Amino acid sequence: MQLRICPDLEALSRAAAQNFAARARAAIQTTGGFPVALAGGSTPRATYKLLAEDYRYSLDWSRIHIFFGDERCVPPDHPGSNYRMAYETLISHVAVGSIHRMRGELPPEEAAAAYETELRDFFGNTPRFSLILLGLGEDGHTASLFPHTSALDVQDRWVAANPVPQLRTTRLTLTLPAINAASAVMFLVSGASKASALSEVLEGDSNPHEYPAKLVRPAKGEVIWLTDRAAAPASPL
Ligand code: 6PG
């Protein structure tokens, strides 16, 4: 596990874009393609904008395949859609090889089953993402794996429709078997509001179902934590 503490969100975003680009080049060179799952929320916005602006001509975007770690059960043009955020900041600016959107406009179980099929068609037996970007919620959730929700226990599927009572909604999310099959996972964590959750995830001994990000442990992959000083633990590891 790597922890990199950046001065602020701007520096964190630059580091994230740099890391994304380096991994993309390496994956394209070794395997011919870079399947990456994007995170939703607000933290990654600046990273996606940097990728669209500063790396627009220095990456072979035609070899980059865009997936999503989770999605709200809303249409793609909804203000809360993770796809819409990624489309506005990145996808509409570069010609990627393929886009694999979680179809939030469908009934959740149908959308989850459809995405499961799409992943299996693309990856075969193992969803070996080159990189999965993740955020961290103040409650320790990541993707849409929220504390004490049923998706945390899913072992036989890569995608789940996850009822989230805390939000009185259902979310679509990659499950832990899918996330933990990745070559690399990169968390982007910014702001003082995340400090407590980050400290607990990195150093605490609480029940992982309280802080689901603790369950992200790729069996054959790297975990990179990119955080800013406001979110960083008082005594970095
Ligand atoms: C979502 C994300 C979610 C997010 C965290 C952090 O759909 O909202 O997948 O897991 O990464 O909630 O969100 P912020 O980056 O907005 O703090």
Side-chain angles (χ1 to χ4, degrees):
M1 185 270 279
Q2 304 161 44
L3 172 65
R4 180 169 172 184
I5 302 173
C6 303
D8 51 29
L9 177 57
E10 186 187 344
L12 184 161
S13 305
R14 278 200 306 275
Q18 253 170 12
N19 198 303
F20 180 109
R23 290 176 184 279
R25 292 187 186 109
I28 290 165
Q29 188 164 10
T30 54
T31 68
F34 182 63
V36 55
L38 300 183
S42 55
T43 304
R45 288 185 71 95
T47 299
Y48 299 164
K49 284 181 178 174
L50 278 172
L51 287 168
E53 291 158 9
D54 297 6
Y55 294 85
R56 184 174 192 167
Y57 302 109
S58 59
L59 283 179
D60 182 355
W61 288 97
S62 70
R63 300 295 187 91
I64 295 178
H65 306 285
I66 301 288
F67 294 81
F68 289 83
D70 71 327
E71 186 55 278
R72 290 83 183 274
C73 291
V74 295
D77 59 354
H78 185 282
S81 164
N82 289 338
Y83 168 80
R84 174 173 162 173
M85 183 274 282
Y87 181 83
E88 289 173 347
T89 53
L90 176 58
I91 299 172
S92 60
H93 303 283
V94 288
V96 296
S98 63
I99 303 170
H100 304 267
R101 181 176 66 83
M102 291 182 173
R103 288 183 283 167
E105 67 277 17
L106 295 178
E109 290 296 343
E110 187 179 330
Y115 208 68
E116 182 94 21
T117 300
E118 192 158 347
L119 290 181
R120 290 181 187 275
D121 287 347
F122 186 93
F123 287 107
N125 293 328
T126 305
R128 189 82 168 147
F129 285 99
S130 299
L131 178 63
I132 297 179
L133 297 177
L134 291 172
L136 179 69
E138 295 177 24
D139 59 357
H141 82 262
T142 192
S144 281
L145 299 169
F146 285 81
H148 304 299
T149 54
S150 57
L152 296 182
D153 298 317
V154 172
Q155 290 301 322
D156 59 348
R157 281 171 287 137
W158 299 347
V159 189
N162 190 27
V164 184
Q166 304 91 312
L167 300 179
R168 289 194 293 278
T169 188
T170 296
R171 290 276 192 93
L172 300 171
T173 187
L174 293 183
T175 60
L176 289 161
I179 294 172
N180 286 331
S183 294
V185 171
M186 181 157 68
F187 283 91
L188 311 183
V189 186
S190 170
S193 69
K194 304 294 178 73
S196 169
L198 182 58
S199 176
E200 184 57 47
V201 168
L202 293 180
E203 302 168 323
D205 57 4
S206 59
N207 172 355
H209 280 227
E210 289 280 345
Y211 290 85
K214 294 177 90 157
L215 295 168
V216 173
R217 292 190 289 263
K220 297 176 186 165
E222 299 174 69
V223 180
I224 304 101
W225 288 88
L226 284 184
T227 180
D228 59 14
R229 203 163 285 130
S235 56
L237 304 178

